[in-house]
Amino acid sequence: MQLTSGGSGAPRATGRCLCGAVRYEVRGPLRDVLVCHCVECRRAHGSVGAYSAAALDDLAILDETALRWVDSPESDHGARRGFCVECGSSLFWQARDLPRIGIAAGTLDRPTGLRVAAHIYAHQAGDWDELPPDGLPRDPDRDELEIRWS
Ligand SMILES: [Zn+2]
Ligand SMILES: [Zn+2]
């Protein structure tokens, strides 16, 4: 994760929180979106979490003054969630043992060119959460799921 601007060329994508206090650029490929129905996303987002991802080194936080982190206590990865302390937007999910960082897809500026690849943690979905009949994999084996980075 970079904390300064710089680098060359246009970023792959840009994004920000609701109030704009946290802004970021992605300077490499983005993963297609996983819609996460886990209990932590449910609480952190108030609904499902929809996450793209980028290599940690490709994410540049342009202003992190308002960025705070909270532990994601039930995660298998010792993860933490990044949010804006000014407006409460959920922006990032970062596992301590992974070289990539999850980016809340809704915080990306359009167009992203991304599509939903699968639903994960469907077994933890809220009882009001009827998964759409979209034919996408649900709770796939993550090692076998072929997912596009673009
Ligand atoms: Zn904000
Ligand atoms: Zn989740």
Side-chain angles (χ1 to χ4, degrees), residues 36-42 49 51 81 93 120-121:
C36 185
H37 300 260
C38 83
V39 62
E40 291 198 353
C41 283
R42 179 147 49 91
Y51 280 93
R81 293 174 180 274
W93 183 93
I120 60 173
Y121 290 92

Side-chain angles (χ1 to χ4, degrees), residues 74-94:
E74 292 178 37
S75 161
D76 300 333
H77 296 278
R80 60 180 189 163
R81 293 174 180 274
F83 66 99
C84 173
V85 74
E86 299 289 342
C87 70
S89 298
S90 299
L91 291 128
F92 306 117
W93 183 93
Q94 182 186 14

Side-chain angles (χ1 to χ4, degrees), residues 47-89:
S47 184
V48 298
Y51 280 93
S52 178
L56 208 45
D57 290 342
D58 288 341
L59 177 68
I61 311 272
L62 303 181
D63 185 350
E64 62 160 2
T65 312
L67 182 62
R68 297 288 185 280
W69 296 90
V70 61
D71 284 340
S72 196
E74 292 178 37
S75 161
D76 300 333
H77 296 278
R80 60 180 189 163
R81 293 174 180 274
F83 66 99
C84 173
V85 74
E86 299 289 342
C87 70
S89 298

Side-chain angles (χ1 to χ4, degrees), residues 4-25:
T4 54
S5 55
S8 57
R12 158 69 176 86
T14 57
R16 67 174 177 88
C17 66
L18 178 62
C19 77
V22 179
R23 295 176 180 276
Y24 63 88
E25 290 181 356

